[in-house]
Amino acid sequence: MINRNFTQTAPELHLISTSPMDIPKLLSVSLAALPYLDYIHVRDKQLTAKDQLEVIQRMLESGIPLGKIVVNDRLDVALATRVANLHLAGHSLPVDAARPLAGGIRLGRSVHSVEEAVKAAADGADYCLFGHVYDSSSKPGLPGRGLAMLTATANACPVPVMAIGGIHPEQTGEIIRCGAQGIAVITGLFQAPDPAEEAYAYRKAMQAAWLERR
């Protein structure tokens, strides 16, 4: 059953933490870009549940709102911290297994094809994160899946589709015009000389394309 409780009214900007985790860098970039960010993902396959709890506590102590924090992979950590957002990867619990336990948590799923996105939505995902769109330093040696596949996925999927992978501000407009309802970035902000200025550039480009599309 598709969960339609989360209506998309504006484009979303997601920040994904680096792996391995650099907590001081995560905090500094997140706080600098915070006015322009919708969500900040705590993602690192090497983190234990205890580690994730400690990272989230540091984020809260630094002033990052709980509602902007996304736990990746660990449903137990999401429930323990009472965050409103959980993102599942391919190695995580299946969406249909997590959905009954997650209650009102906003549940996302990483996908790499039209078929995966449609299934995730049918299983109860509230949004899908499609990637990687362009060649990305996070996926060395793997070519991007491209705008045509992003468009097909966004058109077929009944829940919002976010895009990830090598996206810079100058490419953000075409991503939104392809049907994506947001973007996620890693190096685009973590390697930016001025994360606040770069996040503003992403937000401005997204909003302009969103208004065109509407």
Side-chain angles (χ1 to χ4, degrees):
M1 179 178 180
I2 296 172
N3 184 336
R4 301 184 185 278
N5 292 331
F6 302 95
T7 302
Q8 187 72 17
T9 58
E12 297 179 5
L13 180 57
H14 295 235
L15 174 64
I16 311 284
S17 63
T18 56
S19 183
M21 177 75 68
D22 182 337
I23 298 176
K25 184 73 169 177
L26 171 64
L27 296 178
S28 65
V29 171
S30 297
L31 289 170
L34 193 61
Y36 312 108
L37 295 173
D38 295 290
Y39 298 104
I40 302 164
H41 293 239
V42 180
R43 183 180 80 174
D44 184 342
K45 293 178 183 178
Q46 305 307 312
L47 293 182
T48 64
K50 181 181 178 182
D51 293 336
Q52 280 207 26
L53 285 169
E54 291 175 354
V55 171
I56 292 168
Q57 187 59 43
R58 290 277 300 274
M59 293 172 76
L60 294 173
E61 290 170 355
S62 73
I64 296 170
L66 185 64
K68 289 196 174 188
I69 297 174
V70 182
V71 170
N72 268 244
D73 185 35
R74 299 298 300 255
L75 175 59
D76 54 345
V77 174
L79 294 172
T81 56
R82 300 187 179 181
V83 302
N85 310 284
L86 172 68
H87 189 85
L88 300 173
H91 62 269
S92 306
L93 276 175
V95 175
D96 57 355
R99 180 78 271 169
L101 303 173
I105 291 175
R106 188 180 194 235
L107 190 60
R109 174 68 157 85
S110 293
V111 299
H112 306 94
S113 67
V114 172
E115 294 76 17
E116 286 186 5
V118 170
K119 185 178 189 310
D123 287 347
D126 297 303
Y127 73 91
C128 292
L129 180 61
F130 174 85
H132 55 293
V133 178
Y134 304 107
D135 292 353
S136 170
S137 59
S138 299
K139 302 287 185 180
L142 295 175
R145 291 180 168 83
L147 295 176
M149 188 174 290
L150 169 63
T151 301
T153 302
N155 286 341
C157 188
V159 298
V161 172
M162 316 299 164
I164 189 172
I167 303 171
H168 299 285
E170 59 270 22
Q171 298 157 321
T172 298
E174 64 185 9
I175 291 287
I176 298 300
R177 286 188 290 271
C178 283
Q181 298 193 43
I183 63 168
V185 297
I186 305 173
T187 57
L189 287 181
F190 279 102
Q191 293 185 3
D194 186 335
E197 182 178 337
E198 196 75 356
Y200 172 73
Y202 278 113
R203 173 63 65 187
K204 184 178 179 181
M206 276 201 307
Q207 195 65 40
W210 184 265
L211 291 174
E212 286 178 27
R213 212 175 81 184
R214 295 187 68 185

